[in-house]
Amino acid sequence: MPGEKKATAKPTKSAAPQAMEVVLEDSINISDKDVAFEEDLLRNPYSLRHWQRYLEHHAKSPIAQQFVVYERAVKELPGSYKLWKAYLDQRKQHLTKRNLPYVKAQSEWESVDDCYERALVLLHKMPRIWIDYLQHLIATPRITKTRRVFDKALRALPITQHIRIWHLYLAWAKKVGGETALKVYKRYLKLEPNHGEDYVDLLVLMERYDEAASRLCKMINNEKFQSMHGKSHYQLWRQLCDIICSHPKDVKSIPIENIIRSGIRRFTDQTGRLWNDLAKYWILLNHFEKARDVYEEAITSVMTVRDFTQVFDTYAEFEESVISAKMEAAEAAEAEGEAGVDQMELDMRLMRLERLMERRPFLVNEVLLRQNPNSVHEWQKRVELWGDNAQKVVDTYTQAVTTIHPKKADGKFNGLWIKFAKFYEDGNDLISARTIFEKATKVNYKTVNDLADVWCEYAEMEVRHENYDAALQVMGRATIPSKQKNIAFHDETLPVQVRVYKSLRLWSFYVDLEESVGTVESTKAVYDKILEIKIANPQIIVNYANFLEENKFFEDSYKVYERGIDLFGYPIAFELWNIYLLKFIERYGGTKLERTRDLFEQAIEKVPAKHAKPLYLMYGNLEETHGLARHAMSIYDRATKVVAPEDRADMYHFYIAKAATMFGVTSTREIYERAIEVLQDKDARIMCLRYADMERKLGEVDRARGIYAHGSQFCDPRIAQDYWQTWHDFEVQHGNEDTFKEMLRIKRSVQVKFNTDVSYITAQMLQTQEKSKAAGGDAMQTLDRMTIGGPGEMAFVKSSAHSVKQTHGEAEEEPAAPVAVTNPDEIAIDDDEDI
C-alpha cells in the first residue's frame, strides 16, 4: 500500500512530521511564568528532573503547548524511557478522546506512528513501548504494517520477552484469519510445539478439517506430547474422531478407518464409542453396507456389556432409521403416483431388524463368555437359550467342555458334564450318556469331590434305569485304590483320579448303594475297606454298627464301636461310648454284668473331666438297676473326684440324694462334710445351708448351729445376705439371746476378715453404690446401715432377743438362767472378746 510505505519512511522525511513541526513552531508561546523554567533548562538541558517540572507546569496548558515541550524534551534526552512513555501515552490519549477513526484522520494516526518509530530508535529493547505501539496498530485496518511491526518487535526483543508479544500476535492473527493467521500460528508452533491444540481449534474454526485431522494425528503419535489444556490421549482421539465423523468428505489425507481401528485396539475401555464412530463415518459417506459390517464386527468382538449396549442400541437405531426412510420414501412416491420402493427390499430389512432383536440374548451371552470363557454359569445359560434345539444344545455343551479349563473353571465344571450326560439320558440315549460320563471321569477337576460327584451321578443314572449291577460296577471302578503308596488326599500336585479313592463322599454313596441293592457280605466288605484306608468318620462307624445290628450281627457291631473308639479320640470317643454302652445295656441288661462293668471301666479310664459325668451316672444307674447299691455309691463317690469343677456340686447333690434314698439321711453327713471341704466357696455355702437344714429337721439344733458357724467363713455379710438371713431365722426359732449374740459376733468378725481383702472391699463398694442408686439415697448412709455396730444395732439386738424369749415362753421381767448346751462341734470363743 502506498500510504503504508510513506508511513514507514524515515520520520524526518514524512509529510506528517513536517506539518507537526509547523504547528509546534507556531504554537511556541513563552509566558512570564515560563521564563524561570526556561532559564533552568538553559543551564541544565540534560536534566530529566527539570524537564519533568516544566511538564508538570504545563499540565493544564493546551495540548499543542504540551506536545511542544515534550518534543523539546525528547530531543534533548532521546534515550529517556520516562519522557517517551509519558509523551506517547499523551498522544494516544489525545487521539482516543477525540474518537477519530483511522479513515477520517489518517495523518494524525500516522503522526503517532512516527512518534513510536522515533522512540524505538533507542528504546527498541523496551517491551512496553512495543506493546503500546502494537495495540495502537491493532486498532487500525493496516494488516501488513501491523504484521511487520510484530516481526520487528520479535527481532528486536530478547527471547525471554517474546511471550508478551506472542499473546497479542496470536489474538490479532486469530481475529484477522486467513493465511496470515495460519502462517503466524505455524511460526509460533516452532517456538512452542505443545500449543498445537490451539492451532487445531483455529483450523476447525476456519473449516480446514483435513489439516486439523493431520495435525491431531501427529500430536497423538508423538509420545512426548503434553497437552497444555490437560487433555489425555483419549480425549485427543475423541476430538479426532469427532472431526472425521462430522466431516468425512473433507478429510482425505489420512487413512481414517485404520486410525479408528488402532484407537479401538489402544483404548480398550472405550471400544463401544469408537466402533460407533467408525460406523458413523461410513454412514455419512452413504456406505450403509460397510456400516452394517462394522456394527456386526463390533457386536461380535466387544468385551464388556457396556460397550455392547452402546453398539447394539446404535445399530438398532440405524436399522430403524433406514427402514423409516424407506417407508417415507414409499409414501411420498405413492402420493405422487410414482413407482414406490421395492417391497421385497423393505421386507428384507424388517426381517433383518427382527432377527437382530432376537439375537440380542445370544450376543450378550457371547460378550460375557468372551470376558470369562471359563464361566460355567454363562455356558449353562447359553444352553438354556437354545431351548428345544437339540443340535445346538449338543454343540454348545461340546464347545463348553472343550473351552473351559478345569482348574480355572468359575463354577461347578462337573455339573456341566453331568447335565450334558443327563441331556442324553432324557433323550433315552444311554449309550451317549455313558460315553459322556466316561469322558467326564477323565477330567482333572479342581477338587476330588467334583470327580466323586461325577462317579456318583454315573451310578445313579444306572440305578434310575434299574441297571443295579452296572451301578455297582461303576462304583467298584471308582474306588479302585491307586498303585502309588502314601497318597495324601489334599496333595494338589497329584491328579484327582489318583486321589479319588480316598473320597469319603464316594465311599458313602457306595455303601448306601450296597445296602440297597447289594448283599450283607459285600456291604461289610465296603465298610471294612473304608476303615482300612482310614477315611471313616463317626457317622460311618455308627451306620456300620447299625447295619450289623439290623442284620443280627450284634457282636460284630460291638467290635465296630470298639474300632471306632480306638480310631477316634475324645470328644468323639465319648459319643461312641454313649451309643455303644446304651446298645449293650439295652440288649443284655444285667445278664452280662461283669462284661458291662469292664466296658464302663474302659470308658471312664481315659475320659476327660468335662465328659466324665454322663458316663459315671450311666455306670451308677447300671449298678442300681442290675448290681449292688454299695457299688453304685462307690461309683458316685469316684465321680465326685474326677468330674469337672463346674459339675462337682451337682454330682455331690446327686450323690447325697442317692445315699439318702438307699441308706438313710444320716449316712449323708460324711458326704456333706467332704463336699464342704472340696467345693468352691459359693457351692460350699449352699452345701452348708442344706446340711444345716437336714440337721434341723433331725432335731440336731446344736449340730445345725455348728454347721452355720463353720460355713460363715465362706460368706461375706455384704454379699451372701441370704446365708446370714437363714441363720438369723434359725436363731429366732431355735436359739436364745446368747446364741443370737454369738451369731452377731461371728458375723462381725467375718466382716472384719473380709474387710482386709482388697477384692471383697471392691465388691462391697460396687454393691453399695448400686444399692444407693436404686434406693435414691446417700451411699455413706447405706453403708452405715449395713455396717455391724452402727447406730440402731443395739435396738435390733434387743428386739431380736425379745422375740427369742417370747418364742421360748420366757417372761421379760424374770429372765431364766441360760441352759448349757453340749455341742461337740462348737467353735471356741475367748471370754474376753467384746460382744
Side-chain angles (χ1 to χ4, degrees):
M1 293 172 58
E4 291 185 353
K5 271 191 170 181
K6 193 173 182 181
T8 56
K10 294 182 180 179
T12 56
K13 301 296 182 180
S14 63
Q18 291 176 358
M20 190 67 194
E21 287 176 1
V22 174
V23 173
L24 294 177
E25 289 174 0
D26 295 342
S27 301
I28 295 174
N29 184 13
I30 300 175
S31 62
D32 296 338
K33 295 181 180 179
D34 298 338
V35 173
F37 292 101
E38 291 288 343
E39 291 176 352
D40 288 340
L41 291 174
L42 289 174
R43 288 192 293 270
N44 301 292
Y46 305 112
S47 174
L48 176 61
R49 183 167 56 83
H50 288 80
W51 282 108
Q52 287 179 333
R53 288 173 58 191
Y54 196 18
L55 289 169
E56 291 176 0
H57 170 69
H58 281 287
K60 296 184 180 180
S61 300
I63 193 67
Q65 186 69 26
Q66 295 182 37
F67 289 167
V68 169
V69 176
Y70 272 117
E71 286 290 341
R72 291 173 59 195
V74 297
K75 185 177 181 180
E76 296 295 338
L77 298 173
S80 174
Y81 172 78
K82 289 186 177 180
L83 286 177
W84 275 113
K85 184 69 170 67
Y87 182 29
L88 295 172
D89 289 346
Q90 192 76 10
R91 293 297 297 265
K92 281 182 65 177
Q93 186 178 1
H94 176 64
L95 193 63
T96 305
K97 283 183 179 179
R98 296 169 64 190
N99 197 18
L100 294 174
Y102 174 78
V103 178
K104 294 182 179 180
Q106 184 175 357
S107 59
E108 295 190 23
W109 282 85
E110 291 178 352
S111 66
V112 177
D113 296 349
D114 179 69
C115 289
Y116 275 109
E117 294 288 348
R118 287 188 289 126
L120 290 170
V121 171
L122 294 178
L123 301 179
H124 57 276
K125 297 296 181 184
M126 298 298 175
R128 185 69 256 171
I129 303 296
W130 283 108
I131 292 172
D132 291 345
Y133 187 17
L134 292 169
Q135 289 176 343
H136 168 72
L137 291 174
I138 288 172
T140 67
R142 295 173 291 175
I143 296 174
T144 303
K145 180 178 178 62
T146 305
R147 177 175 56 78
R148 289 176 178 173
V149 172
F150 269 117
D151 296 341
K152 287 170 62 179
L154 292 173
R155 288 194 296 269
L157 292 173
I159 190 69
T160 55
Q161 302 289 338
H162 282 197
I163 190 65
R164 302 177 66 182
I165 303 300
W166 275 113
H167 283 320
L168 279 176
Y169 204 176
L170 294 175
W172 174 77
K174 191 172 183 180
K175 179 180 177 182
V176 171
E179 288 295 328
T180 302
L182 296 178
K183 292 184 180 297
V184 169
Y185 265 93
K186 287 181 180 179
R187 287 177 57 195
Y188 178 63
L189 291 179
K190 293 180 180 179
L191 178 66
E192 294 288 347
N194 287 336
H195 286 75
E197 297 164 86
D198 298 332
Y199 182 44
V200 172
D201 294 340
L202 177 65
L203 291 172
V204 173
L205 188 64
M206 297 174 63
E207 299 182 357
R208 297 201 174 196
Y209 303 111
D210 188 40
E211 188 175 354
S214 301
R215 195 75 190 185
L216 271 174
C217 287
K218 293 179 181 179
M219 292 160 54
I220 292 170
N221 293 330
N222 184 8
E223 295 181 355
K224 297 181 180 180
F225 177 77
Q226 294 291 333
S227 172
M228 301 301 293
H229 299 292
K231 291 182 179 179
S232 63
H233 276 270
Y234 171 71
Q235 289 174 316
L236 295 176
W237 268 98
R238 287 301 316 155
Q239 187 177 2
L240 175 61
C241 292
D242 292 340
I243 293 173
I244 291 172
C245 296
S246 301
H247 311 280
K249 297 180 180 179
D250 297 327
V251 181
K252 300 178 181 179
S253 61
I254 59 175
I256 295 174
E257 184 173 3
N258 294 336
I259 289 174
I260 297 180
R261 287 184 180 275
S262 66
I264 291 171
R265 291 189 296 270
R266 184 174 180 180
F267 304 104
T268 55
D269 58 333
Q270 298 292 335
T271 54
R273 295 187 63 182
L274 293 175
W275 278 114
N276 287 337
D277 289 340
L278 181 57
K280 182 180 177 182
Y281 166 74
W282 290 115
I283 291 171
L284 292 176
L285 291 177
N286 295 327
H287 295 169
F288 297 134
E289 292 303 323
K290 286 188 176 181
R292 186 174 290 107
D293 293 340
V294 169
Y295 280 126
E296 287 291 338
E297 183 182 357
I299 60 178
T300 56
S301 61
V302 292
M303 298 297 293
T304 64
V305 176
R306 179 176 63 88
D307 293 334
F308 171 80
T309 304
Q310 289 180 348
V311 175
F312 185 87
D313 292 346
T314 310
Y315 188 11
E317 290 176 5
F318 162 69
E319 292 289 356
E320 290 174 358
S321 64
V322 172
I323 293 172
S324 299
K326 293 288 183 181
M327 295 179 69
E328 290 174 2
E331 291 176 359
E334 290 178 2
E336 295 177 0
E338 299 178 358
V341 179
D342 187 1
Q343 186 65 33
M344 184 177 295
E345 180 184 0
L346 186 60
D347 292 342
M348 182 188 69
R349 293 185 180 277
L350 288 171
M351 290 175 61
R352 182 182 293 167
L353 177 60
E354 183 179 354
R355 174 61 181 156
L356 177 64
M357 303 308 293
E358 291 175 354
R359 289 167 55 203
R360 181 183 175 89
F362 293 92
L363 294 171
V364 173
N365 182 259
E366 288 177 1
V367 172
L368 296 174
L369 287 176
R370 282 195 293 273
Q371 283 182 355
N372 182 13
N374 296 311
S375 176
V376 176
H377 176 67
E378 292 303 328
W379 281 110
Q380 190 59 43
K381 283 179 62 177
R382 189 166 185 81
V383 170
E384 294 172 0
L385 288 174
W386 288 116
D388 297 332
N389 193 335
Q391 184 59 43
K392 289 293 185 180
V393 170
V394 172
D395 294 342
T396 303
Y397 272 125
T398 304
Q399 185 181 1
V401 297
T402 55
T403 302
I404 296 175
H405 192 286
K407 293 294 185 182
K408 299 179 181 178
D410 183 11
K412 289 289 187 181
F413 187 35
N414 62 330
L416 195 64
W417 279 102
I418 293 169
K419 290 181 179 178
F420 191 8
K422 190 170 179 58
F423 171 77
Y424 280 114
E425 182 189 356
D426 294 339
N428 295 323
D429 189 357
L430 291 182
I431 297 176
S432 299
R434 291 190 183 102
T435 304
I436 297 300
F437 272 121
E438 290 294 337
K439 291 182 179 180
T441 57
K442 295 178 175 60
V443 177
N444 188 17
Y445 299 99
K446 285 195 291 187
T447 63
V448 177
N449 286 331
D450 291 344
L451 179 57
D453 290 340
V454 172
W455 282 111
C456 294
E457 289 291 338
Y458 191 1
E460 281 190 359
M461 182 192 74
E462 298 292 355
V463 171
R464 284 195 294 269
H465 293 275
E466 299 182 358
N467 298 327
Y468 303 119
D469 293 337
L472 292 173
Q473 290 177 4
V474 168
M475 296 310 299
R477 288 169 51 202
T479 55
I480 296 175
S482 174
K483 296 179 181 179
Q484 301 182 27
K485 296 182 179 179
N486 300 324
I487 294 176
F489 180 75
H490 298 287
D491 187 0
E492 298 292 338
T493 59
L494 297 175
V496 292
Q497 283 77 10
V498 177
R499 298 177 283 147
V500 71
Y501 82 96
K502 284 196 171 185
S503 172
L504 183 59
R505 183 179 302 182
L506 188 67
W507 283 101
S508 298
F509 181 82
Y510 193 9
V511 163
D512 292 341
L513 185 61
E514 285 286 357
E515 289 185 11
S516 301
V517 300
T519 63
V520 175
E521 294 302 325
S522 62
T523 306
K524 289 173 64 177
V526 174
Y527 272 119
D528 291 336
K529 191 65 177 177
I530 295 175
L531 295 176
E532 180 184 343
I533 61 178
K534 298 180 180 179
I535 63 171
N537 60 10
Q539 189 62 48
I540 293 291
I541 300 297
V542 175
N543 291 344
Y544 189 13
N546 290 336
F547 171 76
L548 293 172
E549 184 179 355
E550 290 172 0
N551 290 278
K552 310 301 180 182
F553 294 94
F554 298 105
E555 292 300 325
D556 290 341
S557 70
Y558 301 149
K559 291 178 182 178
V560 169
Y561 282 121
E562 292 172 0
R563 290 179 67 182
I565 291 168
D566 293 338
L567 188 61
F568 302 104
Y570 285 95
I572 296 175
F574 167 72
E575 302 295 339
L576 294 177
W577 272 118
N578 270 334
I579 300 172
Y580 180 18
L581 294 171
L582 287 174
K583 293 283 187 181
F584 194 88
I585 295 171
E586 181 182 356
R587 174 164 176 75
Y588 293 109
T591 58
K592 294 188 178 183
L593 188 58
E594 290 302 324
R595 183 178 172 184
T596 310
R597 286 172 178 167
D598 289 341
L599 291 177
F600 272 108
E601 291 296 334
Q602 294 176 26
I604 64 178
E605 182 180 1
K606 297 179 181 179
V607 66
K610 63 178 181 179
H611 299 301
K613 181 181 174 182
L615 291 178
Y616 275 100
L617 292 178
M618 193 187 304
Y619 193 6
N621 184 59
L622 172 71
E623 292 292 349
E624 290 182 32
T625 307
H626 304 288
L628 301 175
R630 58 185 180 83
H631 285 176
M633 294 299 102
S634 174
I635 291 167
Y636 294 141
D637 183 61
R638 289 166 60 190
T640 58
K641 299 174 183 177
V642 299
V643 296
E646 60 269 18
D647 296 331
R648 192 161 294 165
D650 294 337
M651 194 67 226
Y652 267 111
H653 293 318
F654 184 81
Y655 183 18
I656 290 169
K658 288 294 183 180
T661 303
M662 296 181 183
F663 300 103
V665 178
T666 56
S667 64
T668 61
R669 286 173 176 162
E670 182 180 352
I671 304 173
Y672 272 118
E673 292 170 2
R674 189 166 67 250
I676 293 170
E677 291 178 5
V678 299
L679 292 177
Q680 298 177 359
D681 289 354
K682 61 177 182 178
D683 296 326
R685 181 169 64 245
I686 298 173
M687 195 63 69
C688 287
L689 290 174
R690 293 192 175 187
Y691 190 13
D693 186 60
M694 183 199 74
E695 294 291 356
R696 181 186 62 79
K697 292 178 179 178
L698 294 175
E700 298 290 344
V701 176
D702 293 337
R703 291 182 63 86
R705 185 176 291 112
I707 294 168
Y708 281 124
H710 178 72
S712 64
Q713 60 183 316
F714 313 124
C715 308
D716 184 359
R718 283 147 297 191
I719 296 176
Q721 297 181 7
D722 55 339
Y723 183 89
W724 293 98
Q725 184 62 40
T726 304
W727 193 1
H728 171 274
D729 296 340
F730 171 79
E731 292 296 345
V732 169
Q733 294 180 6
H734 304 286
N736 52 39
E737 184 175 356
D738 293 336
T739 58
F740 190 84
K741 289 181 178 181
E742 180 66 15
M743 184 269 291
L744 293 178
R745 187 194 68 78
I746 294 174
K747 186 176 182 181
R748 185 163 53 249
S749 63
V750 169
Q751 184 171 8
V752 171
K753 169 192 170 184
F754 282 108
N755 281 341
T756 60
D757 194 328
V758 176
S759 61
Y760 283 101
I761 294 173
T762 305
Q764 173 190 347
M765 293 176 63
L766 292 175
Q767 187 178 16
T768 304
Q769 290 178 3
E770 291 176 0
K771 287 187 176 182
S772 64
K773 289 179 182 178
D778 184 71
M780 292 305 296
Q781 293 178 1
T782 306
L783 186 60
D784 289 340
R785 289 196 298 268
M786 293 177 63
T787 305
I788 302 297
E793 179 193 355
M794 294 308 297
F796 174 72
V797 172
K798 290 180 180 179
S799 61
S800 300
H802 178 67
S803 62
V804 171
K805 291 177 182 179
Q806 289 182 346
T807 302
H808 291 276
E810 298 176 357
E812 187 176 355
E813 292 81 3
E814 297 180 0
V819 179
V821 179
T822 304
N823 185 2
D825 297 328
E826 183 178 2
I827 300 174
I829 300 174
D830 295 336
D831 295 333
D832 57 351
E833 187 174 352
D834 294 336
I835 297 176

